[in-house]
Amino acid sequence: MARIKDVAAHAGVSVATVSRVLNDSPSVTEETRTRVYAAMRELNYVPNAVARSLRTEATRTLGLIIGDIVNPFFAELARAVEDAARAAGYTVIIGNADERAEEQDHYVRTLLERRVDGLLICPTAEVTPLVEEVARSGGPLVFLDRVLPGVHVPSVRADGTDAIKALVAHLAGLGHRRVAFISGPARLSTGRERTEAFLAAMAEHGLEIRPEYVQAGDFRSGSGRALTARLLDLPEPPEVIFAGDNLMTLGALDEIQARGLRIPDDVALASFDDAAWFPHVSPPITAISQPAAELGRLGVGVILDRLAGRPAGSVILPALLVVRQSCGEERNGS
């Protein structure tokens, strides 16, 4: 079995530097961190926290690591996980990865050291040696909302393909032809899946896919606003802006309102991910709704099945289109 000094030699750094990487020290450069992670992966290095395993004796605690606690989707998901776990006699310890692999690994390591009985993770894009090793160890681990390539653990997530197809059909039926999409990052499974579904639906309905109309955001409101500005500044701006999550929709809404434009008269707006306040803005925003609470409840069910030694497979639930008035529905009689 590889030791920490083997990793250091393979990466061309000191043992102290490897230790700093393992402990998420901010003093390590991104290039060095990447090199150390690559060495760990190539040598199949097992960090001590994983070697000690997820469970020794039951603690009646579960660990939950979410992508971004600011996002209403993750907040609702976390609440459902906590409620379901409490009903089963478990306490949940929550960590916010802030969409960063190093923060995710910090919480994975911390939760393992606290001897949680199982882990539920909304993984970041990067497949890190620590998450790989937790998965390989066979300990109770479940992915929520997202999956990682090559990491085979049960997952509980929503599939938005049919809902995106329904949205594009809805937009086409309203007479829209110039439809832009602010996607999530391609490094995340959710970003890739939503983009693929959008492009396929546009092609199916014979709508032109203009390269300048497909812009990659980061699931944060700032990118939604910046990319909406870029789209609206085009010589021929889109008739509809479809944002790939609720925070980017918020950013898009901010930019549209800052310009004094009217929804849907000047530009229509639709969102992947609903939000509690979407029905209450003027006009109410047409959105694709994910069953966040159900995903959380089912995720707890899967992890409890794993803890009990019962078969536990992946679960995929459908997302649904919620038609409101931000795409011109009212003036078209929809």
Side-chain angles (χ1 to χ4, degrees):
M1 179 180 293
R3 294 169 294 177
I4 191 169
K5 68 177 185 179
D6 301 321
V7 173
H10 197 74
V13 299
S14 67
V15 169
T17 296
V18 176
S19 180
R20 283 194 288 270
V21 170
L22 290 172
N23 288 291
D24 306 308
S25 170
S27 66
V28 181
T29 67
E30 194 58 37
E31 187 272 334
T32 299
R33 190 184 305 276
T34 300
R35 200 162 74 244
V36 170
Y37 275 152
M40 290 181 193
R41 189 177 295 112
E42 290 163 15
L43 296 175
N44 290 320
Y45 173 69
V46 181
N48 283 340
V50 180
R52 289 195 296 269
S53 186
L54 267 171
R55 295 179 76 210
T56 50
E57 57 186 46
T59 60
R60 306 296 292 182
T61 58
L62 300 174
L64 170 65
I65 303 172
I66 58 176
D68 180 5
I69 203 166
V70 172
N71 191 316
F73 169 79
F74 287 120
E76 185 178 357
L77 182 75
R79 174 63 184 269
V81 167
E82 195 170 36
D83 288 348
R86 186 186 301 115
Y90 284 79
T91 297
V92 178
I93 304 173
I94 300 175
N96 174 35
D98 201 31
E99 301 294 11
R100 292 188 292 157
E102 62 271 21
E103 283 297 307
Q104 171 189 272
D105 280 7
H106 164 75
Y107 282 112
V108 169
R109 190 173 297 107
T110 299
L111 292 167
L112 291 175
E113 289 170 351
R114 293 193 177 205
R115 298 294 196 272
V116 295
D117 294 341
L119 277 174
L120 300 106
I121 302 177
C122 306
T124 60
E126 186 178 343
V127 182
T128 66
L130 182 58
V131 171
E132 275 188 315
E133 186 53 42
V134 173
R136 258 200 315 267
S137 73
L141 171 65
V142 172
F143 286 161
L144 292 176
D145 182 48
R146 304 165 177 170
V147 294
L148 290 174
V151 181
H152 304 293
V153 299
S155 63
V156 179
R157 58 195 183 91
D159 182 357
T161 302
D162 288 344
I164 290 174
K165 186 184 299 185
L167 172 63
V168 172
H170 174 66
L171 296 174
L174 293 172
H176 295 301
R177 292 295 176 267
R178 302 195 311 276
V179 182
F181 181 48
I182 301 176
S183 74
R187 56 192 177 82
L188 289 175
S189 60
T190 45
R192 292 191 301 274
E193 289 163 1
R194 291 170 199 176
T195 302
E196 290 166 4
F198 171 75
L199 296 176
M202 290 285 285
E204 181 178 328
H205 288 278
L207 299 178
E208 182 184 2
I209 302 167
R210 302 189 187 188
E212 67 271 24
Y213 280 5
V214 181
Q215 300 285 337
D218 61 4
F219 286 153
R220 304 287 180 96
S221 60
S223 71
R225 180 162 189 172
L227 294 173
T228 296
R230 183 182 299 175
L231 289 166
L232 293 175
D233 286 339
L234 290 172
E236 188 173 33
E239 299 167 313
V240 183
I241 295 175
F242 171 33
D245 86 329
N246 47 33
L247 291 183
M248 293 195 300
T249 302
L250 175 60
L253 185 62
D254 284 343
E255 182 62 24
I256 291 168
Q257 291 180 337
R259 292 178 179 233
L261 300 177
R262 297 167 300 163
I263 299 173
D265 298 324
D266 298 314
V267 62
L269 181 65
S271 173
F272 193 105
D273 271 349
D274 208 353
W277 49 271
F278 278 3
H280 306 293
V281 300
S282 181
I285 296 174
T286 291
I288 290 171
S289 176
Q290 296 193 92
E294 189 64 13
L295 293 175
R297 286 191 292 270
L298 289 173
V300 172
V302 172
I303 202 78
L304 294 181
D305 283 342
R306 296 204 71 183
L307 287 168
R310 296 187 291 265
S314 295
V315 179
I316 300 177
L317 298 178
L320 300 173
L321 174 63
V322 180
V323 173
R324 296 192 179 106
Q325 296 171 20
S326 62
C327 295
E329 290 88 349
E330 197 169 59
R331 69 187 180 203
N332 283 273
S334 296

